[in-house]
Amino acid sequence: MEEESCFAEVVSKVNDDLLAFLRIDVELEPLCDREEATCSKNVMRKQRNWERRLEAKKSKRREEKQRKKLSKQNKDVNESQLSKRVLKAITKERLEEARRAGPGLCVDLSMIDYLSAKEISRLACQIRRLYGCNKKALQPFRIFLTELKEDSLLYKECVRMNDGFLNYLIDVTEDSWLHLFPSEDVIYLTPDASQALEYVEEDKVYILGGLVDETIQKKISYTRAKELGVRTARLPIDEYMVKRPNPKNFHSKILAINQVFEILLTFRDTKDWIKALAAGIPPGKGYMVASAASTDIKTPEEL
């Protein structure tokens, strides 16, 4: 009996311990779930905080990038405006210096009665281009427009077509060039002259007849110059250029006044007639420099 009683006590104690263990395990499971839930919330909160900080950094970088872009744009605008002001001041200084000491270039406008209304508009356009070339030149000329009357169609076309014409840094007068320059200082440029121009002399005044290349009448400027007894010269086209073959067999030495002027400017800068003529004479005139022509000649092997 005593052994049975001891065995029953042992069994009872084992059962009590087992129940206690099970009770502990049951109590621990909700605790682990709570800790896992708490852990998950912390991770999620950290994740959200990290994402907010990352977005804030991205936003800050975007703002900084935009700020730098705007700053660069403003800087470029300021530099561009500054450059334009500086260039304008330099150009003005050059033109004013040319008016004090530069060689003279005079457009003789005494012959506009020979021009049609269309040709007068073309001449006004050429005057604008001529002035534009002079503004860009490192060594500009002193420009004269003579016998340009304010009530003339040409004057009105110059004002209408050429922005800022009234502020051009040139000399505009109703007087004839005969009253402005000694005849010995004048060289009248005309394609009909027999003598070729060799140099651009600093102490001379070069006269261009105010005609357009469409004018039908021949030798108008040459005849006027000979009547006045002044020296004439032509550009050395025959000396440095040859005729370019073309289907229409067209070749003309008559140039617009701005084209003649560009040749004079280029020669004054380079002292090279080949470069000057190549720069000023368009291919449509049917001429090319002799050096270019030699490269076009085919050898017997090429034929």
Side-chain angles (χ1 to χ4, degrees):
M1 286 294 290
E2 186 175 350
E3 289 179 0
E4 291 178 358
S5 175
C6 289
F7 177 77
E9 288 178 4
V10 170
V11 171
S12 176
K13 185 176 180 180
V14 170
N15 289 337
D16 291 341
D17 291 340
L18 179 61
L19 289 173
F21 175 78
L22 293 175
R23 193 162 49 246
I24 291 172
D25 187 53
V26 171
E27 290 176 354
L28 286 176
E29 284 184 359
L31 180 59
C32 290
D33 292 340
R34 287 195 298 271
E35 288 179 353
E36 289 179 0
T38 303
C39 182
S40 299
K41 289 180 180 179
N42 289 337
V43 171
M44 292 176 64
R45 183 169 62 252
K46 290 180 180 179
Q47 177 72 17
R48 286 194 296 269
N49 289 338
W50 179 80
E51 290 176 350
R52 282 196 295 269
R53 288 196 299 269
L54 182 62
E55 183 60 31
K57 288 181 180 179
K58 288 183 179 179
S59 178
K60 187 176 181 180
R61 282 198 296 267
R62 284 196 298 268
E63 291 175 0
E64 182 67 15
K65 187 176 180 181
Q66 184 68 16
R67 185 187 65 78
K68 288 181 178 180
K69 183 178 179 181
L70 292 174
S71 177
K72 184 178 183 301
Q73 289 175 348
N74 292 333
K75 182 180 179 182
D76 291 342
V77 170
N78 292 335
E79 288 179 352
S80 176
Q81 292 175 347
L82 177 62
S83 297
K84 288 180 180 179
R85 288 196 296 269
V86 171
L87 289 174
K88 188 175 181 180
I90 292 173
T91 299
K92 183 177 180 181
E93 183 178 349
R94 284 177 181 164
L95 293 175
E96 289 178 344
E97 178 62 25
R99 295 181 78 180
R100 291 190 293 269
L105 189 289
C106 173
V107 181
D108 176 14
L109 299 172
S110 63
M111 298 170 283
I112 58 175
D113 290 340
Y114 291 99
L115 306 181
S116 65
K118 177 184 176 182
E119 289 173 332
I120 285 177
S121 295
R122 288 284 304 276
L123 181 57
C125 181
Q126 291 176 16
I127 290 172
R128 180 182 72 244
R129 292 174 180 170
L130 184 150
Y131 182 67
C133 288
N134 205 43
K135 284 177 64 179
K136 297 175 183 177
L138 296 176
Q139 301 182 80
F141 282 70
R142 181 179 183 181
I143 305 297
F144 297 85
L145 302 181
T146 58
E147 296 193 51
L148 180 57
K149 298 177 174 57
E150 290 190 10
D151 61 350
S152 67
L153 176 60
L154 177 59
Y155 185 91
K156 294 174 183 177
E157 285 295 273
C158 284
V159 173
R160 182 182 70 85
M161 298 176 62
N162 305 342
D163 291 339
F165 174 75
L166 298 178
N167 296 320
Y168 279 9
L169 294 176
I170 60 177
D171 293 271
V172 180
T173 177
E174 295 187 1
D175 295 332
S176 169
W177 55 267
L178 288 168
H179 303 146
L180 301 177
F181 318 115
S183 59
E184 62 270 18
D185 293 341
V186 169
I187 299 177
Y188 209 115
L189 296 178
T190 168
D192 301 302
S194 59
Q195 183 179 355
L197 186 67
E198 296 182 7
Y199 309 102
V200 175
E201 302 174 59
E202 298 295 310
D203 58 347
K204 299 298 183 184
V205 178
Y206 296 87
I207 311 290
L208 302 180
L211 300 168
V212 298
D213 53 0
E214 297 173 339
T215 304
I216 297 176
Q217 294 93 335
K218 304 297 182 181
K219 297 187 176 183
I220 297 175
S221 58
Y222 176 76
T223 301
R224 175 170 169 76
K226 297 304 289 184
E227 289 175 350
L228 297 172
V230 296
R231 176 184 167 188
T232 61
R234 58 176 172 79
L235 295 174
I237 296 175
D238 292 335
E239 286 72 14
Y240 294 95
M241 305 190 82
V242 296
K243 293 181 179 180
R244 181 196 299 272
N246 60 81
K248 295 183 179 180
N249 197 30
F250 174 78
H251 305 91
S252 175
K253 301 173 189 175
I254 300 174
L255 304 174
I257 59 171
N258 58 291
Q259 293 169 343
V260 176
F261 183 60
E262 185 175 357
I263 292 170
L264 296 179
L265 280 175
T266 304
F267 179 79
R268 192 175 175 217
D269 287 338
T270 65
K271 302 298 186 292
D272 188 325
W273 278 119
I274 291 179
K275 291 181 180 179
L277 293 168
I281 297 181
K285 291 296 180 179
Y287 283 88
M288 59 184 174
V289 295
S291 58
S294 63
T295 61
D296 290 343
I297 298 174
K298 294 185 178 180
T299 64
E301 290 79 8
E302 295 174 318
L303 294 174

